[in-house]
Coordinates of all heavy atoms in Angstrom, one line a residue:
M1 N 7.4 -23.3 22.0 CA 7.3 -24.5 22.6 C 8.7 -25.1 22.7 O 9.5 -25.0 21.8 CB 6.4 -25.5 21.9 CG 6.4 -26.8 22.5 SD 5.6 -28.3 21.8 CE 4.6 -27.8 20.5
L2 N 9.0 -25.7 23.9 CA 10.3 -26.3 24.1 C 10.0 -27.8 24.0 O 9.2 -28.4 24.7 CB 10.8 -25.9 25.5 CG 12.2 -26.5 25.9 CD1 13.3 -26.0 24.9 CD2 12.6 -26.0 27.3
Y3 N 10.8 -28.5 23.2 CA 10.5 -30.0 23.0 C 11.9 -30.7 22.9 O 12.8 -30.3 22.2 CB 9.8 -30.2 21.6 CG 9.4 -31.6 21.4 CD1 8.3 -32.2 22.0 CD2 10.2 -32.4 20.5 CE1 8.0 -33.5 21.7 CE2 9.9 -33.7 20.3 CZ 8.8 -34.2 20.9 OH 8.4 -35.6 20.7
G4 N 12.0 -31.7 23.7 CA 13.2 -32.6 23.6 C 12.9 -34.0 23.6 O 11.7 -34.4 23.8
V5 N 13.8 -34.8 23.3 CA 13.6 -36.3 23.2 C 14.7 -37.0 24.0 O 15.8 -36.5 24.3 CB 13.7 -36.8 21.7 CG1 12.6 -36.2 20.9 CG2 15.1 -36.5 21.1
D6 N 14.3 -38.2 24.5 CA 15.2 -39.1 25.2 C 15.7 -40.1 24.2 O 15.2 -41.2 24.0 CB 14.4 -39.8 26.3 CG 15.3 -40.6 27.2 OD1 16.6 -40.6 27.0 OD2 14.8 -41.4 28.0
G7 N 16.7 -39.7 23.4 CA 17.3 -40.5 22.4 C 18.8 -40.7 22.6 O 19.5 -40.4 21.6
I8 N 19.2 -41.1 23.7 CA 20.6 -41.1 24.0 C 21.4 -42.2 23.2 O 22.6 -42.1 23.1 CB 20.9 -41.2 25.5 CG1 20.4 -42.5 26.1 CG2 20.4 -40.0 26.2 CD1 20.8 -42.7 27.6
H9 N 20.7 -43.2 22.7 CA 21.3 -44.2 21.9 C 20.6 -44.5 20.6 O 20.6 -45.6 20.1 CB 21.6 -45.5 22.7 CG 20.4 -46.1 23.2 ND1 19.7 -47.1 22.6 CD2 19.6 -45.9 24.3 CE1 18.7 -47.5 23.2 NE2 18.6 -46.8 24.3
G10 N 19.9 -43.5 20.1 CA 19.1 -43.6 18.9 C 17.7 -43.0 19.0 O 17.2 -42.8 20.1
H11 N 17.2 -42.6 17.9 CA 15.9 -41.9 17.9 C 14.8 -43.0 17.7 O 14.1 -43.1 16.7 CB 15.8 -40.9 16.8 CG 14.8 -39.8 16.9 ND1 14.1 -39.6 18.1 CD2 14.4 -38.9 16.0 CE1 13.3 -38.5 17.9 NE2 13.5 -38.1 16.6
A12 N 14.6 -43.8 18.8 CA 13.8 -45.0 18.7 C 12.3 -44.8 18.4 O 11.6 -45.7 18.0 CB 13.9 -45.8 20.0
N13 N 11.8 -43.5 18.6 CA 10.4 -43.3 18.4 C 10.0 -43.0 16.9 O 8.9 -42.8 16.6 CB 9.9 -42.1 19.2 CG 10.0 -42.4 20.7 OD1 9.8 -43.5 21.1 ND2 10.3 -41.4 21.5
V14 N 11.0 -43.0 16.1 CA 10.8 -42.7 14.6 C 11.1 -44.0 13.8 O 12.1 -44.6 13.9 CB 11.8 -41.6 14.2 CG1 11.7 -41.4 12.7 CG2 11.6 -40.4 14.9
P15 N 10.0 -44.4 13.1 CA 10.2 -45.7 12.3 C 11.4 -45.5 11.3 O 11.6 -44.5 10.7 CB 8.9 -45.8 11.5 CG 7.9 -45.0 12.3 CD 8.7 -43.9 13.0
G16 N 12.2 -46.5 11.3 CA 13.4 -46.6 10.4 C 14.6 -46.0 10.9 O 15.7 -46.1 10.3
A17 N 14.6 -45.3 12.1 CA 15.8 -44.8 12.7 C 16.6 -45.9 13.3 O 16.1 -47.0 13.6 CB 15.4 -43.8 13.8
T18 N 17.9 -45.6 13.4 CA 18.8 -46.6 14.0 C 18.8 -46.5 15.5 O 18.9 -45.4 16.0 CB 20.3 -46.3 13.5 OG1 20.2 -46.2 12.0 CG2 21.2 -47.4 13.9
V19 N 18.7 -47.7 16.1 CA 18.8 -47.7 17.6 C 20.1 -48.5 17.9 O 20.2 -49.7 17.5 CB 17.5 -48.4 18.2 CG1 17.7 -48.5 19.7 CG2 16.3 -47.6 17.8
F20 N 20.9 -47.9 18.7 CA 22.2 -48.5 19.0 C 22.1 -49.2 20.4 O 21.2 -48.9 21.2 CB 23.3 -47.4 19.0 CG 23.5 -46.8 17.7 CD1 22.9 -45.6 17.4 CD2 24.3 -47.4 16.7 CE1 23.0 -45.0 16.1 CE2 24.5 -46.8 15.5 CZ 23.8 -45.6 15.2
P21 N 23.1 -50.0 20.8 CA 23.2 -50.5 22.1 C 23.2 -49.4 23.2 O 23.7 -48.3 22.9 CB 24.4 -51.4 22.1 CG 24.7 -51.6 20.7 CD 24.2 -50.5 19.9
H22 N 22.8 -49.8 24.4 CA 22.9 -48.8 25.5 C 24.4 -48.5 25.7 O 25.3 -49.3 25.3 CB 22.2 -49.4 26.7 CG 20.8 -49.4 26.7 ND1 20.0 -48.3 27.1 CD2 19.9 -50.2 26.1 CE1 18.7 -48.5 26.9 NE2 18.6 -49.7 26.3
F23 N 24.6 -47.4 26.5 CA 26.0 -47.0 26.7 C 26.8 -48.0 27.5 O 28.0 -48.1 27.4 CB 26.0 -45.7 27.4 CG 25.6 -44.5 26.5 CD1 24.9 -43.5 27.0 CD2 26.0 -44.5 25.2 CE1 24.6 -42.4 26.2 CE2 25.6 -43.5 24.4 CZ 24.9 -42.4 24.9
L24 N 26.2 -48.8 28.3 CA 26.9 -49.9 29.0 C 27.6 -50.8 28.0 O 28.8 -51.2 28.1 CB 26.0 -50.7 30.0 CG 26.6 -51.8 30.8 CD1 27.6 -51.2 31.8 CD2 25.6 -52.6 31.5
G25 N 26.8 -51.2 27.0 CA 27.4 -52.1 26.0 C 28.4 -51.4 25.1 O 29.5 -51.9 24.8
L26 N 28.2 -50.1 24.8 CA 29.2 -49.3 24.0 C 30.4 -49.1 24.8 O 31.5 -49.3 24.3 CB 28.6 -48.0 23.6 CG 27.4 -48.1 22.5 CD1 26.8 -46.7 22.4 CD2 28.0 -48.6 21.2
G27 N 30.3 -48.9 26.1 CA 31.5 -48.7 26.9 C 32.3 -50.0 27.0 O 33.5 -49.9 27.1
A28 N 31.6 -51.1 27.1 CA 32.3 -52.4 27.2 C 33.1 -52.7 25.9 O 34.0 -53.5 26.0 CB 31.3 -53.5 27.5
A29 N 32.7 -52.1 24.8 CA 33.5 -52.3 23.6 C 34.9 -51.7 23.7 O 35.8 -52.1 22.9 CB 32.7 -51.7 22.4
G30 N 35.0 -50.7 24.6 CA 36.4 -50.0 24.7 C 36.8 -49.2 23.5 O 38.0 -49.1 23.3
D31 N 35.8 -48.7 22.7 CA 36.1 -48.0 21.5 C 35.5 -46.6 21.5 O 34.4 -46.4 21.2 CB 35.6 -48.8 20.3 CG 36.0 -48.3 19.0 OD1 36.5 -47.1 18.9 OD2 35.8 -49.0 18.0
A32 N 36.3 -45.6 22.0 CA 35.8 -44.3 22.1 C 35.4 -43.7 20.8 O 34.4 -43.0 20.7 CB 36.9 -43.4 22.7
D33 N 36.0 -44.1 19.7 CA 35.6 -43.6 18.4 C 34.2 -44.1 18.0 O 33.4 -43.4 17.4 CB 36.6 -43.9 17.3 CG 36.3 -43.3 16.0 OD1 36.2 -42.1 15.9 OD2 36.2 -44.1 15.0
L34 N 34.0 -45.4 18.3 CA 32.6 -45.9 18.1 C 31.6 -45.1 18.8 O 30.5 -44.8 18.2 CB 32.6 -47.4 18.5 CG 31.2 -48.1 18.5 CD1 30.7 -48.1 17.1 CD2 31.3 -49.4 19.1
V35 N 31.8 -44.8 20.1 CA 30.8 -44.0 20.8 C 30.6 -42.6 20.1 O 29.5 -42.1 20.0 CB 31.3 -43.8 22.3 CG1 30.4 -42.9 23.0 CG2 31.4 -45.2 23.0
R36 N 31.7 -42.0 19.7 CA 31.6 -40.7 18.9 C 30.7 -40.9 17.7 O 29.9 -40.0 17.4 CB 32.9 -40.2 18.6 CG 33.7 -39.6 19.7 CD 35.0 -38.9 19.3 NE 35.9 -38.8 20.4 CZ 36.8 -39.7 20.7 NH1 37.0 -40.7 20.0 NH2 37.6 -39.5 21.8
R37 N 30.9 -41.9 16.9 CA 30.2 -42.2 15.7 C 28.7 -42.4 16.0 O 27.8 -41.9 15.3 CB 30.8 -43.3 14.9 CG 32.1 -43.0 14.3 CD 32.6 -44.0 13.3 NE 32.3 -45.4 13.7 CZ 33.3 -46.3 14.2 NH1 34.5 -45.9 14.3 NH2 32.9 -47.5 14.5
V38 N 28.4 -43.1 17.1 CA 27.0 -43.4 17.5 C 26.4 -42.1 17.9 O 25.2 -41.8 17.5 CB 27.0 -44.4 18.7 CG1 25.6 -44.4 19.3 CG2 27.3 -45.8 18.2
A39 N 27.1 -41.2 18.6 CA 26.5 -39.9 19.0 C 26.3 -39.0 17.8 O 25.2 -38.4 17.7 CB 27.5 -39.2 20.0
R40 N 27.2 -39.0 16.8 CA 27.0 -38.2 15.6 C 25.8 -38.7 14.8 O 25.0 -37.9 14.3 CB 28.2 -38.2 14.7 CG 29.3 -37.3 15.3 CD 30.5 -37.2 14.3 NE 31.6 -36.7 15.0 CZ 32.7 -37.5 15.2 NH1 32.8 -38.7 14.8 NH2 33.7 -36.9 15.9
A41 N 25.7 -40.0 14.6 CA 24.5 -40.6 13.9 C 23.2 -40.3 14.6 O 22.2 -39.9 13.9 CB 24.7 -42.1 13.7
T42 N 23.2 -40.4 15.9 CA 22.0 -40.1 16.7 C 21.6 -38.6 16.5 O 20.5 -38.3 16.3 CB 22.2 -40.5 18.1 OG1 22.4 -41.9 18.2 CG2 20.9 -40.2 19.0
T43 N 22.6 -37.8 16.6 CA 22.4 -36.3 16.5 C 21.8 -36.0 15.1 O 20.8 -35.2 15.0 CB 23.7 -35.6 16.6 OG1 24.2 -35.8 17.9 CG2 23.5 -34.1 16.4
A44 N 22.3 -36.6 14.0 CA 21.8 -36.3 12.7 C 20.4 -36.8 12.5 O 19.6 -36.1 11.9 CB 22.7 -37.0 11.7
E45 N 20.1 -38.0 13.0 CA 18.7 -38.5 12.9 C 17.7 -37.7 13.7 O 16.6 -37.4 13.3 CB 18.6 -40.0 13.3 CG 19.3 -40.8 12.2 CD 19.2 -42.3 12.5 OE1 18.6 -42.7 13.5 OE2 19.6 -43.1 11.6
I46 N 18.1 -37.2 14.9 CA 17.2 -36.4 15.7 C 17.0 -35.0 15.1 O 15.9 -34.5 15.0 CB 17.7 -36.3 17.2 CG1 17.5 -37.7 17.8 CG2 17.0 -35.2 17.9 CD1 18.1 -37.8 19.2
A47 N 18.1 -34.4 14.6 CA 18.0 -33.1 14.0 C 17.1 -33.2 12.7 O 16.4 -32.2 12.4 CB 19.4 -32.6 13.7
A48 N 17.2 -34.3 12.0 CA 16.4 -34.4 10.7 C 14.9 -34.4 11.0 O 14.1 -34.1 10.1 CB 16.8 -35.7 10.0
T49 N 14.5 -34.7 12.2 CA 13.1 -34.6 12.6 C 12.7 -33.3 13.2 O 11.6 -33.1 13.6 CB 12.7 -35.7 13.6 OG1 13.4 -35.6 14.8 CG2 13.0 -37.1 13.0
G50 N 13.6 -32.3 13.2 CA 13.3 -31.0 13.7 C 13.5 -30.8 15.2 O 13.1 -29.8 15.7
V51 N 14.1 -31.8 15.8 CA 14.3 -31.7 17.3 C 15.8 -31.4 17.5 O 16.6 -32.0 16.9 CB 13.9 -33.0 18.0 CG1 14.2 -32.9 19.5 CG2 12.5 -33.4 17.7
Y52 N 16.0 -30.4 18.4 CA 17.4 -30.0 18.6 C 17.8 -30.0 20.1 O 18.8 -29.5 20.5 CB 17.6 -28.6 18.0 CG 17.4 -28.5 16.5 CD1 16.2 -28.1 16.0 CD2 18.4 -29.0 15.7 CE1 16.0 -28.2 14.6 CE2 18.2 -29.1 14.3 CZ 17.0 -28.6 13.8 OH 16.8 -28.7 12.4
W53 N 17.0 -30.7 20.9 CA 17.4 -30.9 22.3 C 17.2 -32.4 22.6 O 16.1 -32.9 22.6 CB 16.5 -30.1 23.2 CG 16.8 -30.2 24.6 CD1 18.0 -30.4 25.2 CD2 15.9 -30.0 25.7 NE1 17.9 -30.5 26.6 CE2 16.6 -30.2 26.9 CE3 14.5 -29.7 25.8 CZ2 16.1 -30.1 28.2 CZ3 14.0 -29.6 27.0 CH2 14.7 -29.8 28.2
N54 N 18.3 -33.0 22.8 CA 18.4 -34.4 23.2 C 18.9 -34.6 24.6 O 19.8 -33.8 25.0 CB 19.3 -35.2 22.2 CG 19.4 -36.7 22.5 OD1 18.5 -37.2 23.1 ND2 20.4 -37.3 22.0
F55 N 18.3 -35.4 25.4 CA 18.7 -35.6 26.8 C 20.0 -36.4 26.9 O 19.9 -37.5 27.4 CB 17.6 -36.2 27.6 CG 16.2 -35.5 27.5 CD1 15.1 -36.2 27.4 CD2 16.2 -34.1 27.5 CE1 13.9 -35.5 27.2 CE2 15.0 -33.4 27.3 CZ 13.8 -34.1 27.2
S56 N 21.0 -35.9 26.3 CA 22.2 -36.7 26.3 C 23.4 -35.7 26.1 O 23.2 -34.6 25.6 CB 22.2 -37.6 25.1 OG 23.4 -38.3 24.9
P57 N 24.6 -36.0 26.6 CA 25.0 -37.2 27.3 C 24.5 -37.1 28.7 O 24.1 -36.1 29.2 CB 26.5 -37.2 27.2 CG 26.8 -35.8 27.1 CD 25.7 -35.1 26.4
N58 N 24.5 -38.3 29.4 CA 24.2 -38.3 30.8 C 25.2 -39.2 31.5 O 25.9 -40.0 30.9 CB 22.7 -38.8 31.0 CG 22.6 -40.3 30.6 OD1 23.3 -40.8 29.8 ND2 21.6 -41.0 31.2
L59 N 25.2 -38.9 32.8 CA 26.1 -39.7 33.7 C 25.3 -40.2 34.9 O 24.8 -39.4 35.6 CB 27.3 -38.8 34.1 CG 28.3 -39.5 35.1 CD1 29.0 -40.6 34.5 CD2 29.3 -38.5 35.6
D60 N 25.3 -41.5 35.1 CA 24.6 -42.1 36.2 C 25.6 -42.8 37.1 O 26.2 -43.7 36.6 CB 23.5 -43.0 35.7 CG 22.4 -42.4 34.8 OD1 22.1 -41.2 35.1 OD2 22.0 -43.0 33.9
V61 N 25.7 -42.4 38.3 CA 26.6 -43.1 39.2 C 25.7 -43.5 40.4 O 25.6 -42.7 41.4 CB 27.8 -42.2 39.7 CG1 28.7 -43.0 40.6 CG2 28.5 -41.7 38.5
P62 N 25.1 -44.7 40.4 CA 24.3 -45.1 41.5 C 25.1 -45.4 42.7 O 26.2 -45.9 42.7 CB 23.6 -46.4 41.0 CG 24.5 -46.9 39.9 CD 25.2 -45.7 39.3
K63 N 24.5 -45.1 43.8 CA 25.1 -45.3 45.1 C 24.3 -46.3 46.0 O 24.7 -46.7 47.0 CB 25.2 -44.0 45.9 CG 26.1 -43.0 45.2 CD 27.5 -43.3 45.2 CE 28.4 -42.2 44.6 NZ 29.7 -42.5 44.6
D64 N 23.2 -46.7 45.5 CA 22.3 -47.6 46.3 C 21.6 -48.6 45.3 O 21.0 -48.1 44.3 CB 21.3 -46.7 47.0 CG 20.5 -47.5 48.0 OD1 20.1 -48.6 47.7 OD2 20.2 -46.9 49.1
M65 N 21.6 -49.8 45.6 CA 21.0 -50.8 44.7 C 19.5 -50.7 44.6 O 18.8 -51.2 43.7 CB 21.3 -52.3 45.2 CG 22.6 -52.8 44.7 SD 22.8 -52.9 42.9 CE 21.6 -54.2 42.6
R66 N 18.9 -49.9 45.5 CA 17.4 -49.7 45.4 C 17.0 -48.7 44.4 O 15.8 -48.6 44.0 CB 16.9 -49.3 46.8 CG 17.1 -50.4 47.9 CD 16.7 -49.8 49.2 NE 17.7 -48.8 49.6 CZ 17.7 -48.2 50.8 NH1 16.8 -48.4 51.7 NH2 18.7 -47.3 51.0
W67 N 18.0 -48.0 43.8 CA 17.7 -47.1 42.7 C 17.3 -47.9 41.5 O 17.9 -48.9 41.2 CB 18.9 -46.2 42.4 CG 19.3 -45.3 43.5 CD1 18.7 -45.2 44.7 CD2 20.3 -44.3 43.4 NE1 19.4 -44.2 45.4 CE2 20.3 -43.6 44.7 CE3 21.2 -43.9 42.4 CZ2 21.2 -42.6 44.9 CZ3 22.1 -42.9 42.7 CH2 22.1 -42.2 43.9
G68 N 16.4 -47.4 40.7 CA 16.0 -48.1 39.5 C 17.1 -48.3 38.5 O 18.0 -47.4 38.3
A69 N 17.2 -49.4 37.9 CA 18.2 -49.7 36.8 C 19.6 -49.6 37.3 O 20.5 -49.3 36.5 CB 17.9 -48.9 35.6
S70 N 19.9 -49.8 38.5 CA 21.3 -49.7 39.0 C 22.2 -50.7 38.4 O 23.4 -50.5 38.2 CB 21.3 -50.0 40.6 OG 20.7 -48.9 41.2
T71 N 21.7 -51.9 38.0 CA 22.5 -52.9 37.4 C 22.9 -52.5 35.9 O 23.8 -53.1 35.4 CB 21.8 -54.3 37.4 OG1 20.6 -54.2 36.7 CG2 21.6 -54.8 38.8
N72 N 22.3 -51.5 35.4 CA 22.6 -51.1 34.0 C 23.6 -49.9 34.0 O 23.9 -49.4 32.9 CB 21.3 -50.6 33.3 CG 20.3 -51.7 33.1 OD1 20.7 -52.9 33.1 ND2 19.1 -51.4 33.0
R73 N 24.1 -49.6 35.1 CA 25.0 -48.5 35.2 C 26.4 -48.9 35.7 O 26.5 -50.0 36.4 CB 24.5 -47.4 36.1 CG 23.1 -46.9 35.9 CD 23.0 -46.2 34.5 NE 21.7 -45.6 34.4 CZ 20.7 -46.1 33.6 NH1 21.0 -47.2 32.8 NH2 19.6 -45.5 33.4
S74 N 27.4 -48.1 35.5 CA 28.7 -48.5 36.0 C 28.9 -47.6 37.2 O 28.5 -46.5 37.4 CB 29.8 -48.2 35.0 OG 29.5 -47.1 34.2
V75 N 29.7 -48.1 38.2 CA 30.0 -47.4 39.4 C 31.5 -47.4 39.6 O 32.2 -48.3 39.1 CB 29.3 -48.1 40.6 CG1 27.8 -47.9 40.5 CG2 29.7 -49.5 40.8
P76 N 32.0 -46.4 40.4 CA 33.4 -46.4 40.6 C 34.0 -47.6 41.2 O 35.0 -48.2 40.8 CB 33.6 -45.1 41.4 CG 32.4 -44.4 41.4 CD 31.3 -45.3 41.0
T77 N 33.4 -48.1 42.3 CA 33.8 -49.2 43.0 C 32.6 -50.1 43.4 O 32.0 -49.8 44.4 CB 34.6 -48.9 44.3 OG1 33.9 -48.0 45.1 CG2 36.0 -48.3 43.9
P78 N 32.2 -51.0 42.6 CA 31.0 -51.8 42.9 C 31.2 -52.5 44.2 O 32.3 -53.1 44.5 CB 31.0 -52.8 41.8 CG 31.9 -52.3 40.7 CD 32.9 -51.4 41.4
S79 N 30.2 -52.5 45.1 CA 30.3 -53.1 46.4 C 29.1 -54.0 46.7 O 29.0 -54.5 47.8 CB 30.4 -52.0 47.5 OG 29.2 -51.2 47.4
W80 N 28.3 -54.3 45.7 CA 27.2 -55.2 46.0 C 27.5 -56.5 45.4 O 27.5 -57.4 45.0 CB 25.9 -54.7 45.5 CG 25.8 -54.2 44.0 CD1 25.8 -55.0 42.9 CD2 25.9 -52.9 43.6 NE1 25.8 -54.3 41.8 CE2 25.8 -53.0 42.1 CE3 25.9 -51.6 44.1 CZ2 25.8 -51.8 41.3 CZ3 25.9 -50.6 43.3 CH2 25.9 -50.6 42.0

């Protein structure tokens, strides 16, 4: 069986796991080391539950405001 989780900013489906801010907030902090530490902590918590496939990292570059959650993503040159 192939099993993965969508835990790009924490393993939120597990009681007691740490859930971090979304990447937009982490990126706004301007601290690359913080993002690395968040990724390592998330990796450790997901691996501790026996899951070794996380849907992360991801890159979303919306080109159209009609796409879902476009306001939660960063774009090269915002035009809206």
Side-chain angles (χ1 to χ4, degrees):
M1 175 185 353
L2 183 60
Y3 184 81
V5 296
D6 184 8
I8 62 173
H9 61 94
H11 201 13
N13 293 326
V14 176
T18 307
V19 180
F20 298 96
H22 286 268
F23 287 145
L24 180 66
L26 291 172
D31 186 346
D33 186 57
L34 172 64
V35 175
R36 284 186 202 95
R37 292 190 320 254
V38 166
R40 284 190 199 111
T42 300
T43 299
E45 289 187 355
I46 290 174
T49 62
V51 178
Y52 297 98
W53 182 29
N54 182 17
F55 308 138
S56 177
N58 69 333
L59 175 65
D60 301 323
V61 183
K63 299 289 185 182
D64 190 320
M65 277 300 289
R66 294 172 293 182
W67 294 5
S70 290
T71 58
N72 296 334
R73 309 292 188 255
S74 38
V75 295
T77 53
S79 60
W80 52 74

